[in-house]
Amino acid sequence: MPFKMGKKLGAITNCLHSLYLYKRKKLRVGSLPSMLWIEPTNRCNLKCVMCPNTRIPKENLGFMEWGTYQKIIDEAKDFVTSGYLLIAGESLLHKDIYKMISYAREKGIRPLLNTNGTMLHVAENREMLLNSRPAHITFAFDGYNKETYESIRVGAKYEQVLGGIIEFLKEKKRRGLREPCVAITNLEVGLENYADKQKEKDNFYRLFDGLSVDEFIVKTPNTWGGTFDNTDSFSHHDIDESKFYPCSHLWSTMSICWDGTVVPCCFDFFKTYVLGNVKEQSIREIWNGEPIVKLREGMLNGTYKTINKLCNRCVILHLEPILGVPAGMRTAVKDAITNLIGMHTEKYLIMLAKKIRPSYSLKVD
């Protein structure tokens, strides 16, 4: 227990140090990333209308090797609080995903998962997921009824996916588990399919009565760094370019693709700007390597668009800070705090953030 508390205090100190260095505009930093995004795979079994995954060339798809994942976790265990196990794909497709979740837990890193839930209609998958002990699961559902859901998440079957998620929640309740915390997200896509959106939403939420869903989240779609700027398939979050805040991801968070490639953020599905590779370098080396230092400098002097085109019109750069915490660092700071005082306090921190800044995390209600 003393070691665990010591690590928690060290993690929040590291996170706050990152915030301090960001505000001091330091290019080479003494802090380390407090949060990781790790991509088990960039393969996906759906073709969602608001996701750029379908644009990834087939020859660039793959699965992370166990040795690569183990190296990441072993290096990061002393300074990272949590790891999101996803970037571009459906993580539950990886044959070792439950082993990955368990290994992060064993090393003191809280595993966080975002899934489309399509694999959970199989009882064995539900059992293995609960047994692996993820700290938090977000089910990306996106649709309050069958017509809308299947038009957005192309390739998924509404009844099958919904049934699998509900059975998962029932099993969690039967076991009396506090974790994983569970969120269900819906993007504001396909609104024209609803005769009465509020009624459809209420009916959908009632399907989970008596089950342990910690939060229902409604969000606007992202532009994926401008990738969907000109789409007519959906509307996305408005960008106020009169406001600009350098991307604080570069001072707090590291994103690692399935092949070990490190990119600036989890929106980079195409490895637009490479910072290094964990197969060849350590996390510490990459964190203050020339590529990331150059991009940090570009964020501060306004040349970032010529360095990494993905940053052009990224919504994160134009969201106002909350209590001095910039948008790109909110998740890392929130996570370090909840890691110290308990995961179930997260929803209260989010409620406070939304009262201060309604656009928190692109949420709309």
Side-chain angles (χ1 to χ4, degrees):
M1 181 64 72
F3 171 78
K4 287 185 178 180
M5 182 54 68
K7 179 182 175 179
K8 290 179 179 181
L9 292 172
I12 198 167
T13 299
N14 178 57
C15 187
L16 294 175
H17 189 205
S18 298
L19 179 59
Y20 170 79
L21 294 170
Y22 167 80
K23 290 181 175 292
R24 291 295 299 255
K25 301 180 179 180
K26 297 294 184 180
L27 300 181
R28 297 187 186 275
V29 298
S31 62
L32 289 161
S34 59
M35 173 168 281
L36 295 181
W37 291 75
I38 305 171
E39 181 179 71
T41 182
N42 60 350
R43 290 186 178 274
C44 190
N45 52 354
L46 301 182
K47 296 180 179 180
C48 303
V49 298
M50 66 295 179
C51 179
N53 176 277
T54 54
R55 304 183 186 190
I56 301 173
K58 288 185 178 180
E59 61 270 21
N60 294 341
L61 299 173
F63 295 88
M64 181 173 282
E65 297 172 351
W66 174 253
T68 302
Y69 179 80
Q70 191 174 37
K71 179 180 185 290
I72 294 166
I73 297 299
D74 289 349
E75 284 187 21
K77 66 181 187 300
D78 293 329
F79 51 86
V80 166
T81 58
S82 298
Y84 274 98
L85 299 183
L86 82 151
I87 295 181
E90 171 50 46
S91 298
L92 294 187
L93 294 177
H94 198 295
K95 65 181 179 63
D96 290 327
I97 187 60
Y98 309 115
K99 182 180 176 183
M100 289 175 161
I101 295 170
S102 294
Y103 192 73
R105 269 286 198 186
E106 290 168 12
K107 297 298 180 179
I109 296 176
R110 294 187 308 155
L112 315 176
L113 194 66
N114 186 306
T115 175
N116 60 33
T118 53
M119 306 296 288
L120 297 185
H121 67 285
V122 178
E124 183 182 7
N125 291 338
R126 299 194 294 267
E127 293 282 333
M128 289 191 293
L129 183 54
L130 281 172
N131 292 343
S132 64
R133 299 176 57 234
H136 190 285
I137 297 177
T138 298
F139 291 110
F141 203 80
D142 303 329
Y144 299 125
N145 61 30
K146 177 181 174 66
E147 179 186 4
T148 305
Y149 173 80
E150 292 185 358
S151 69
I152 296 169
R153 295 205 158 253
V154 179
K157 298 179 180 179
Y158 178 81
E159 294 88 353
Q160 185 180 80
V161 177
L162 179 63
I165 293 172
I166 288 175
E167 289 303 315
F168 175 85
L169 293 170
K170 286 180 178 178
E171 179 60 18
K172 179 194 168 190
K173 182 178 181 180
R174 188 187 68 77
R175 296 189 188 190
L177 299 176
R178 285 179 57 82
E179 290 189 349
C181 293
V182 173
I184 296 177
T185 61
N186 270 279
L187 289 177
E188 294 276 79
V189 179
L191 301 185
E192 65 280 358
N193 293 330
Y194 300 124
D196 185 336
K197 187 184 77 168
Q198 189 59 51
K199 182 179 179 180
E200 295 280 6
K201 182 190 294 187
D202 292 342
N203 289 340
F204 178 76
Y205 288 173
R206 276 195 288 271
L207 296 173
F208 301 92
D209 283 351
L211 299 174
S212 54
V213 177
D214 295 274
E215 187 179 17
F216 290 100
I217 303 170
V218 181
K219 302 173 75 171
T220 52
N222 205 309
T223 66
W224 298 99
T227 301
F228 288 117
D229 256 356
N230 300 315
T231 183
D232 56 4
S233 297
F234 55 87
S235 59
H236 48 68
H237 195 79
D238 292 331
I239 295 175
D240 183 355
E241 295 194 77
S242 68
K243 300 172 182 177
F244 173 78
Y245 307 91
C247 181
S248 51
H249 271 301
L250 302 173
W251 280 262
S252 64
T253 306
M254 180 177 282
S255 299
I256 307 171
C257 301
W258 68 269
D259 61 356
T261 301
V262 178
V263 293
C265 78
C266 59
F267 296 145
D268 193 347
F269 283 22
F270 305 100
K271 303 169 189 162
T272 308
Y273 185 73
V274 174
L275 304 180
N277 193 298
V278 294
K279 291 183 178 181
E280 303 160 0
Q281 303 159 276
S282 70
I283 290 175
R284 292 172 183 267
E285 289 170 336
I286 296 170
W287 193 236
N288 276 307
E290 288 304 320
I292 195 170
V293 169
K294 181 179 179 180
L295 189 52
R296 285 175 185 147
E297 185 176 24
M299 281 290 162
L300 298 177
N301 65 23
T303 62
Y304 65 92
K305 294 179 184 179
T306 64
I307 299 169
N308 185 7
K309 65 180 182 180
L310 189 69
C311 300
N312 186 29
R313 286 190 51 78
C314 176
V315 66
I316 298 298
L317 303 181
H318 306 285
L319 294 176
E320 293 186 76
I322 298 177
L323 297 177
V325 180
M329 205 178 281
R330 290 176 193 167
T331 300
V333 171
K334 170 179 64 65
D335 190 77
I337 294 172
T338 56
N339 184 53
L340 180 66
I341 62 178
M343 194 75 183
H344 285 269
T345 61
E346 179 182 38
K347 62 183 176 183
Y348 301 110
L349 291 174
I350 292 173
M351 287 170 59
L352 174 63
K354 286 171 65 178
K355 285 186 178 298
I356 298 170
R357 189 78 61 206
S359 64
Y360 172 78
S361 191
L362 311 185
K363 295 178 184 179
V364 297
D365 71 5

